[in-house]
Structures are given as C-alpha cells and as structure tokens.
Amino acid sequence: MSESLRSRLINPTYQNKFINQLEQQFTNITQLLYTTSVSCTELDRRVLPYIADDIIFKDPWQEGSSKQLYRIGMKGFHNMFHFTFDIFQLNVKLNNDKTTGRCIVDGIMNLEQFSWIYTYPLRSILTYEFRLLNNENDDEPQFEIFRHEEMWSVADMIVGIPGVGWLYQNIFRRGFGYFFVGLSALSCYFHDHSIKTNKKKE
C-alpha cells in the first residue's frame, strides 16, 4: 500500500468514506458467496480476484487453506446447496497499521433446499480479514482477503429444526435454566452457611 494512502487515512473524513466503500464491497462479496444461485463463472469473475493466495477458510466443521482449495469449495457450495443470506449488520474496521483490517457480518443463512416445505434459518457471524493493496492512483479500495471464517452454533442448528427446535427451546432450555438456578441457589446457601460457621469459630 502506498504511503500517500496511509497518510490520507489519518484524515477522519477520508477514512470514513474509504470504510464506507469497503463495506459496500464486502456486502457485494457476501451476497455473491452466499446466494448460491450465482453462477460459478460469476464467482470467478467477481469474487476470486479478492481472494489471497494464502487464504484460510474456517467454520465449525472444517478448516482449509490456499486459493485453489477455496475456489473448489466455493463452487461446490454453490453446486450442492440452495442458500440465500440476510445481512443484519456489516462493519469494517481498519487496524492501527492502516494496511490490514477486518469485516464482520451478522446475518442469517437461509437453506432453501426444500423451500416448498421449510426454509431452514441459521444465524451466522462471518468474519473477513484483509490486507490493503492500494496504489497511489487507486480511487477505490483494493484489497485481498486472507482469512474467511463462518461462526454458527450447534444450538442454533437444533432450534431451526421444525418440532425438535420447539422442544429444545421451550422444554430443554427452560428446564435446564430452572435446574441451573436451583443449583445456584443451593451453592449460595452452602456458601453463606460456610461463612457463618467460620465466623462463629472465630
């Protein structure tokens, strides 16, 4: 990245504009990656240029590295599944060095494989870590993503299952909540009793 860009990013107005541009680019990238009706040709043309050779992809079930493996996984995801993605929040923050940054996306992945029966929602947090590649004359942010991570919980997966999710949410979770509060009350009783006993001994 050029020194002139680094110095311009010190200016709050310029930095806000720059970050807004990054946020728009990451919005587009996210929609392309997680809208599986997008063609593989379109992915190669509009997403792959932003992927670093040393990229690491990680989710709760897998981890892999290299641009070639990422490209195969990206295309396989689009070929095998039918997903859309609803973005709730998206935020980009530059690191102190002003050469790297992080984008975090909060949203829901919607599995529409059997949408005529049920659309399966999975609350997801996506993070992209990137490095800036801007030259002096670049008008828009130029960057490459070197880490892409999906975060979602097994609990959310269970909640999304019709019937099972209701039982888990309304019976198991509530029941366990009362059980935990009961144990907490018991621990408080024994803790206070122990303090009183020790004071009497003194």
Side-chain angles (χ1 to χ4, degrees), residues 50-62:
Y50 291 103
I51 304 303
D53 291 337
D54 61 345
I55 188 167
I56 294 172
F57 174 80
K58 186 177 182 181
D59 73 15
W61 286 353
Q62 60 179 319

Side-chain angles (χ1 to χ4, degrees), residues 22-155:
L22 281 168
E23 288 177 344
Q24 185 56 57
Q25 287 173 299
F26 275 105
T27 297
N28 294 337
I29 289 170
T30 299
Q31 293 296 355
L32 289 165
L33 281 172
Y34 291 93
T35 303
T36 52
S37 58
V38 174
S39 69
C40 292
T41 303
E42 194 79 351
L43 292 173
D44 274 348
R45 187 173 69 86
R46 298 180 61 189
V47 175
L48 208 60
Y50 291 103
I51 304 303
D53 291 337
D54 61 345
I55 188 167
I56 294 172
F57 174 80
K58 186 177 182 181
D59 73 15
W61 286 353
Q62 60 179 319
E63 182 172 348
S65 59
S66 90
K67 188 171 185 174
Q68 184 58 28
L69 291 179
Y70 186 92
R71 179 173 181 260
I72 293 169
M74 174 179 69
K75 290 186 173 186
F77 177 70
H78 280 240
N79 291 334
M80 292 185 290
F81 299 104
H82 187 190
F83 271 99
T84 58
F85 194 92
D86 298 325
I87 295 175
F88 293 157
Q89 293 180 327
L90 184 148
N91 179 260
V92 169
K93 180 175 172 54
L94 295 178
N95 297 328
N96 291 334
D97 60 11
K98 298 293 188 289
T99 62
T100 58
R102 189 169 184 262
C103 173
I104 184 166
V105 185
D106 176 12
I108 287 184
M109 291 173 62
N110 301 293
L111 176 60
E112 299 181 347
Q113 207 86 358
F114 308 103
S115 58
W116 64 91
I117 302 172
Y118 180 68
T119 296
Y120 185 92
L122 181 60
R123 181 73 180 273
S124 305
I125 302 293
L126 312 174
T127 61
Y128 306 95
E129 294 182 46
F130 62 92
R131 57 179 71 98
L132 293 172
L133 304 173
N134 279 67
N135 294 316
E136 192 165 344
N137 298 320
D138 290 327
D139 294 327
E140 294 186 354
Q142 306 296 322
F143 60 90
E144 61 179 9
I145 299 165
F146 62 86
R147 185 180 177 87
H148 174 192
E149 184 171 359
E150 293 176 7
M151 290 172 276
W152 29 266
S153 72
V154 174

Side-chain angles (χ1 to χ4, degrees), residues 3 18 149 160 165:
E3 286 300 322
F18 192 82
E149 184 171 359

